[in-house]
Amino acid sequence: MSIPAAFVAASVIEAVAIHFLVPWQWLRVVLLLATVLSLIAIGGWLAGRVVHPHLVSARTVVFRSGTGIRVEVDRSRISRVSMVRRFGDTANAVVDEHLVLPGPDGTVVDVEFDRPLPVSLPKGLSKGSSFTMIGGLRLHVDQPREFCAALSPN
């Protein structure tokens, strides 16, 4: 949440500075409108992450990234779940046979599968074909301890 909060704070400071520094009323209005639209975009992006969370049920786990990437895995295929903080990846990617589904600050949980799993990815993430084999996931969740406990074998 630190990056979106920083953008919101910078936008508010910018709006106040524009009010005092720009002498032309028409330019103040245009810049204020652009600032408001950027705040709406940031809010929509954050809402997309909250409205479409990862889902854990008794038999399966669905991993999501907004409304886009969706991987459904049988819980018996999950071999290990651990909390590992990574700041480097902030965009969806496939790194070292792991599908990375980060938040704005990176990833906090690693999920390993017992064997590679075929997943369908958008063209921007897949190299050539739409199916890619992944051995695990690196993802962002709001409550990593609780998420790891929910996925651990009983």
Side-chain angles (χ1 to χ4, degrees):
M1 288 298 292
S2 63
I3 292 174
F7 274 113
V8 169
S11 295
V12 170
I13 293 168
E14 174 190 47
V16 171
I18 287 170
H19 178 73
F20 290 113
L21 297 175
V22 176
W24 303 285
Q25 181 64 27
W26 66 270
L27 186 55
R28 275 191 236 150
V29 171
V30 169
L31 293 175
L32 181 62
L33 182 63
T35 301
V36 169
L37 290 175
S38 70
L39 289 173
I40 291 171
I42 291 170
W45 178 73
L46 289 172
R49 298 182 95 49
V50 173
V51 172
H52 300 285
H54 308 295
L55 302 174
V56 178
S57 71
R59 298 188 66 195
T60 61
V61 182
V62 178
F63 299 99
R64 298 183 186 176
S65 178
T67 59
I69 297 172
R70 192 176 155 186
V71 178
E72 189 168 342
V73 180
D74 190 84
R75 286 184 68 153
S76 64
R77 299 282 311 268
I78 297 173
S79 61
R80 185 173 63 87
V81 180
S82 58
M83 288 182 9
V84 178
R85 185 78 169 120
R86 290 189 176 86
F87 295 100
D89 300 313
T90 56
N92 294 338
V94 177
V95 177
D96 300 329
E97 294 186 358
H98 286 81
L99 177 59
V100 180
L101 304 176
D105 297 330
T107 62
V108 292
V109 173
D110 283 4
V111 179
E112 299 292 332
F113 303 138
D114 59 352
R115 61 187 181 277
L117 176 75
V119 296
S120 177
L121 298 175
K123 289 190 189 268
L125 290 181
S126 62
K127 296 175 177 82
S129 81
S130 62
F131 281 94
T132 302
M133 298 296 281
I134 60 169
L137 291 143
R138 296 176 184 161
L139 57 137
H140 178 268
V141 294
D142 290 332
Q143 299 171 337
R145 284 191 201 338
E146 291 83 355
F147 188 78
C148 289
L151 289 182
S152 295
N154 295 333

